[in-house]
Amino acid sequence: MFVKYTPKHAHIKVVPIVNNDGLSVTAESIILNPGTNEVSEAKWEKIKPSLSAEIAEGTIKPFTVETKKAGVKAKAKTLKDVPAATAAMIVNACSNKDTLRSWFKDNLPDEIALLVVKRMRVLNMDIDEISGESNELSDADICDESNSGDAGNGDSEKTSEKGDPDFDSMSYNELKAAAKAKGINPSQSKEALLAALKGDENNESGSEDDSGDAGNGDDDIPDFDNPAVQVK
């Protein structure tokens, strides 16, 4: 679910996670940054008792977004299910690096994934480092790598004799990580990724669109008067 946090004076809020007994707290906490944040339903239920005053005064507003799948109305509680136009407002209003990191690692629709990458660049997040974190192979990935004939030879990016990235020798997962770091749609076939990455090397401006860079003001936060935005 999403949480809009609008303090009178901009600051982050660290909220301890309360155990089921309602008294003791765990070592884990949730950080809310001004703007939009994403919190799981389970964790929200644990931190909500500590936020009753802020919720009552409207400083903190949990919300979901109404969407349609196969003509059936539903509530999109995570970014991957939010319509692209509303997702853009949510992403552009997010300054929570933990939330952006989670979105970056998620399997988002291409259009939304690129918005997340652009927002991360605005906040000077190290996309290469995060790409490396998300490049660890699951058992399914390893099987896919083996079947495709690719060999995973470590996390370092392979380079040619000239020192340029050697995309031809990269595994499929390495190509996907490189594409994400450059703001290129990673959800493509290996052949399409190779073509896109090589084209990007020849034309660095090809994957960027400055007109879509994120704003930082409250105008970028979802319109809570819009009937599609459901405040809990």
Side-chain angles (χ1 to χ4, degrees):
M1 64 183 300
F2 305 105
V3 178
K4 177 188 176 185
Y5 176 44
T6 52
K8 292 180 181 178
H9 304 288
H11 66 283
I12 66 171
K13 185 173 185 66
V14 181
V15 191
I17 293 180
V18 180
N19 285 325
N20 292 333
D21 58 18
L23 300 174
S24 59
V25 298
T26 69
E28 190 178 3
S29 59
I30 296 295
I31 296 177
L32 299 179
N33 287 68
T36 55
N37 307 262
E38 186 175 308
V39 181
S40 71
E41 290 275 1
K43 289 183 177 179
W44 172 253
E45 289 303 317
K46 291 183 177 182
I47 67 174
K48 186 166 65 172
S50 304
L51 303 174
S52 55
E54 289 94 335
I55 293 172
E57 68 185 16
T59 302
I60 292 176
K61 292 182 180 180
F63 68 95
T64 57
V65 178
E66 189 176 274
T67 185
K68 283 186 178 181
K69 285 188 175 181
V72 179
K73 288 185 178 180
K75 289 183 178 179
K77 297 177 181 179
T78 60
L79 190 66
K80 68 170 61 176
D81 298 320
V82 173
T86 305
M89 293 189 289
I90 290 175
V91 172
N92 290 346
C94 181
S95 298
N96 190 320
K97 293 185 178 182
D98 288 338
T99 294
L100 289 165
R101 181 188 296 261
S102 175
W103 287 341
F104 180 77
K105 294 180 178 181
D106 202 357
N107 185 26
L108 297 172
D110 301 339
E111 184 177 359
I112 300 176
L114 293 177
L115 290 170
V116 171
V117 169
K118 287 187 176 183
R119 183 60 178 163
M120 292 169 73
R121 285 176 173 163
V122 169
L123 298 178
N124 297 316
M125 295 177 67
D126 191 337
I127 297 177
D128 289 333
E129 179 183 348
I130 299 170
S131 294
E133 292 173 4
S134 62
N135 199 33
E136 297 179 2
L137 300 183
S138 65
D139 290 342
D141 290 329
I142 292 172
C143 291
D144 181 65
E145 290 278 309
S146 176
N147 292 336
S148 64
D150 292 329
N153 295 317
D155 292 334
S156 59
E157 186 180 74
K158 299 177 178 63
T159 57
S160 66
E161 294 180 357
K162 296 180 180 179
D164 298 323
D166 187 3
F167 298 119
D168 288 317
S169 66
M170 289 185 184
S171 69
Y172 186 29
N173 276 333
E174 288 171 331
L175 289 171
K176 289 193 288 186
K180 268 193 175 184
K182 290 179 174 293
I184 295 172
N185 167 21
S187 304
Q188 305 182 60
S189 67
K190 184 175 181 180
E191 292 73 18
L193 285 175
L194 276 170
L197 285 165
K198 288 179 179 179
D200 188 69
E201 286 296 302
N202 295 329
N203 182 12
E204 285 293 332
S205 63
S207 64
E208 289 293 324
D209 181 1
D210 293 336
S211 64
D213 283 345
N216 295 309
D218 288 341
D219 290 341
D220 290 324
I221 295 174
D223 181 4
F224 285 82
D225 293 326
N226 187 323
V229 177
Q230 307 293 316
V231 180
K232 287 197 171 184

